[in-house]
Amino acid sequence: MRVKLTRRQILHGALLTGMGGGIIAASRRFPGPVEGIYDVVDAVNYSLHDLLLAGQPLVREYSRADVALNFPTSGVTSPRDERYQQLKANAFADWRFTLDGMVANPLELSLSELKSLPAQTQVTLHTCDEGWSAVGAWTGVRLSQLLQQALLQPGARYVVFHCMDTQSNGVPYYESIDLFAASHPQTILAYGLNGEDLPEQNGAPLRLRIETQIGYKHAKFVERVEVVDSLAHIGDGRGGWWEDVDRAVWYAGL
Ligand SMILES: Nc1nc2c(c(=O)[nH]1)N[C@H]1C(S)=C(S)[C@@H](COP(=O)(O)O)O[C@H]1N2
Ligand SMILES: [Mo]
């Protein structure tokens, strides 16, 4: 059966998702054939819920005393792109974050809208494969919360981060992770470092913190998150800028 969705039904679906998979998972198992938005939301919610409950261990959190006074930088520290510099000049007031791709309810949010969502701060160790590590206190929004709001479509498998800094080969930085890593409770899109707005060199206005993986996965200057079913059409198909130019491993778990 095909259903045409009204905006209201989609919003209602989003609300159900937002209420958490727990209620749905507790009350019904997969009901059989998927017949409408509620079943789709149900199925997607259910698998996301399973992922969240899969017992993903949390990474260690440090004390505030361990925080590096000057958090080091790596890669691009000031995007030369004119568009980025213009957005920065206006304190990112005209910047918009988008979440699209295989979602029923694409999101478009300003920086202040992102900051008004439930936030979390985590004091964690960043490890770069070039041989340094440092502790920072990162503040941001859980990626899983944004994905739940956006209503993943069946078949969604990966989350791609599109960045605003053009790299040496003329291509903007990009990275990707799978839905399992995306649903980790410490995977956040961060807009704050050590109680301040995220500094430019560390990825302003928004960067990924994927605490279970190594430095280059932590995409800085993120402006668009795209949900896909395959990485074949992202860059050269290996899932990230370093993966494509230098054969870095895509799964970069610590
Ligand atoms: N957009 C973008 N993201 C990026 C990079 C980059 O050059 N551009 N470098 C990566 C690398 S190799 C590391 S170690 C971290 C460094 O983050 P930091 O500069 O905040 O220390 O960002 C990662 N994310
Ligand atoms: Mo790195």
Side-chain angles (χ1 to χ4, degrees):
M1 178 174 132
R2 283 174 72 96
V3 279
K4 195 155 183 293
L5 299 175
T6 64
R7 186 176 157 76
R8 194 182 159 81
Q9 281 172 317
I10 291 173
L11 286 173
H12 204 151
L15 201 70
L16 272 182
T17 310
M19 280 164 59
I23 301 162
I24 291 167
S27 58
R28 47 198 288 234
R29 295 270 145 185
F30 278 119
V34 171
E35 286 186 343
I37 183 67
Y38 289 100
D39 291 333
V40 172
V41 169
D42 199 353
V44 172
N45 225 341
Y46 192 81
S47 41
L48 203 63
H49 184 78
D50 274 358
L51 283 177
L52 285 166
L53 288 189
Q56 296 195 59
L58 297 182
V59 307
R60 177 176 168 195
E61 292 224 21
Y62 292 74
S63 97
R64 290 273 174 167
D66 299 319
V67 163
L69 290 180
N70 289 303
F71 197 88
T73 59
S74 194
V76 169
T77 52
S78 179
R80 281 172 290 125
D81 308 71
E82 202 177 310
R83 197 171 66 85
Y84 179 85
Q85 292 301 334
Q86 281 169 357
L87 289 165
K88 186 186 80 171
N90 199 15
F92 299 104
D94 304 319
W95 172 87
R96 292 291 177 275
F97 165 78
T98 58
L99 198 170
D100 59 15
M102 294 182 70
V103 296
N105 181 40
L107 307 181
E108 187 180 304
L109 298 166
S110 68
L111 188 53
S112 55
E113 284 170 331
L114 272 172
K115 287 180 174 177
S116 71
L117 297 174
Q120 80 183 37
T121 296
Q122 55 206 35
V123 184
T124 52
L125 182 72
H126 178 98
T127 304
C128 169
D129 64 342
E130 285 174 327
W132 59 271
S133 46
V135 173
W138 305 96
T139 301
V141 184
R142 268 192 203 188
L143 181 57
S144 63
Q145 186 195 326
L146 295 170
L147 292 172
Q148 283 188 359
Q149 269 183 34
L151 296 175
L152 295 179
Q153 289 175 342
R157 290 187 65 191
Y158 305 100
V159 181
V160 182
F161 304 88
H162 297 282
C163 306
M164 291 183 277
D165 55 322
T166 300
Q167 295 280 323
S168 52
N169 62 347
V171 176
Y173 199 83
Y174 50 98
E175 255 304 340
S176 63
I177 58 177
D178 62 13
L179 279 184
F180 185 74
S183 69
H184 190 284
Q186 289 165 314
T187 300
I188 64 173
L189 285 170
Y191 47 73
L193 173 59
N194 301 338
E196 312 266 324
D197 281 345
L198 188 63
E200 176 175 8
Q201 66 263 26
N202 301 112
L206 194 71
R207 62 104 45 92
L208 176 65
R209 291 300 308 168
I210 161 83
E211 307 294 356
T212 51
Q213 299 197 33
I214 211 162
Y216 59 84
K217 302 299 287 188
H218 297 236
K220 306 194 284 189
F221 318 110
V222 171
E223 68 170 352
R224 174 177 173 225
V225 167
E226 182 189 11
V227 178
V228 297
D229 58 356
S230 156
L231 299 174
H233 305 293
I234 307 299
D236 297 334
R238 300 178 63 84
W241 190 81
W242 278 111
E243 289 87 329
D244 281 334
V245 302
D246 201 30
R247 296 240 143 197
V249 288
W250 177 76
Y251 175 71
L254 283 161

